[in-house]
Amino acid sequence: MKIIVIGATGTLGSAVARHLTARGHEVVRAARRGPVPVDLADPVSLDALFATVRDVDAVICCAASGRLTSLDSPSDEEFTTGLDGKLLGQVHLVRRALHHLRDGGAVILTSGTFAEPTPGGAFGALVNAGLDAFVRAAAVELPRGLRLDVVSPGWITETLAGLGLDPAEGTPADEVARAYVDLLDTLVPRAAETRSPRPAEPATLAQ
């Protein structure tokens, strides 16, 4: 299968791309500074992506990241960081993908979850809840047997380590990546039929 991974240069996206490649899929690695440029906050770049990459079976978006912002942030713009990219960007992605994916294809988005309320996480929680609700509502509208779902990972071990926090509180990117790949197998049965004897490449840290 031909699969676009958005955010493929990041910690999670690179792990997802690695697992898909090991299973024999053709992976198109897209990112803001990757070989195939795309920016979720820029709808024009999404149009360019689908105009350039044709005959796609699935899209997995791992680029939806946000940051902790205090409720009393100095400006609304700072507090709502992630609105254009993580929330609206993924909505724009789905709206475009449904016109370009092959019949029976799938889109997998990324929201997120906190085990408990986290200082600075109020707007991120709002965005995640909005994405989860969007997926549930939009899935029934998709044509041609297309499927839509979302993965809601918690903290990634490598991300916590990069922030100088306790990595033991997170889940390794390699483990989270397998959840995306397993979900794809469930959504698109032909994905599970694409197998390769090659093992996944050793995990590496990405920015």
Side-chain angles (χ1 to χ4, degrees):
M1 282 176 44
K2 188 173 185 178
I3 304 167
I4 299 174
V5 176
I6 297 179
T9 60
T11 302
L12 178 57
S14 61
V16 170
R18 183 172 60 251
H19 276 279
L20 291 171
T21 300
R23 292 192 181 200
H25 295 293
E26 178 185 352
V27 178
V28 179
R29 293 169 168 80
R32 282 182 296 181
R33 291 178 291 275
V36 178
V38 68
D39 183 349
L40 286 177
D42 179 9
V44 173
S45 76
L46 292 172
D47 291 331
L49 172 65
F50 287 109
T52 303
V53 184
R54 307 276 186 164
D55 300 320
V56 176
D57 294 282
V59 179
I60 299 179
C61 183
C62 303
S65 61
R67 65 183 182 185
L68 298 177
T69 54
S70 173
L71 190 62
D72 62 354
S73 298
S75 69
D76 290 338
E77 181 179 6
E78 181 178 349
F79 178 68
T80 58
T81 297
L83 177 64
D84 290 337
K86 185 169 185 178
L87 180 56
L88 297 180
Q90 292 193 92
V91 171
H92 295 324
L93 171 64
V94 172
R95 282 171 41 78
R96 283 154 177 77
L98 63 87
H99 298 294
H100 295 279
L101 290 182
R102 295 176 59 197
D103 292 356
V107 180
I108 298 177
L109 305 182
T110 296
S111 62
T113 186
F114 295 107
E116 57 186 42
T118 301
F123 188 74
L126 174 63
V127 168
N128 291 333
L131 279 167
D132 292 340
F134 167 74
V135 167
R136 287 194 300 272
V140 300
E141 296 188 42
L142 298 186
R144 300 183 290 105
L146 299 178
R147 305 292 299 278
L148 174 64
D149 213 326
V150 61
V151 176
S152 302
W155 284 107
I156 304 294
T157 298
E158 293 86 343
T159 300
L160 288 174
L163 294 172
L165 302 175
D166 182 6
E169 299 295 323
T171 304
D174 199 61
E175 183 177 333
V176 177
R178 286 196 294 270
Y180 284 81
V181 178
D182 290 344
L183 176 59
L184 180 65
D185 286 349
T186 300
L187 297 176
V188 186
R190 65 177 179 269
E193 299 170 1
T194 305
R195 298 296 188 199
S196 168
R198 292 176 294 159
E201 302 166 13
T204 57
L205 286 179
Q207 59 270 33

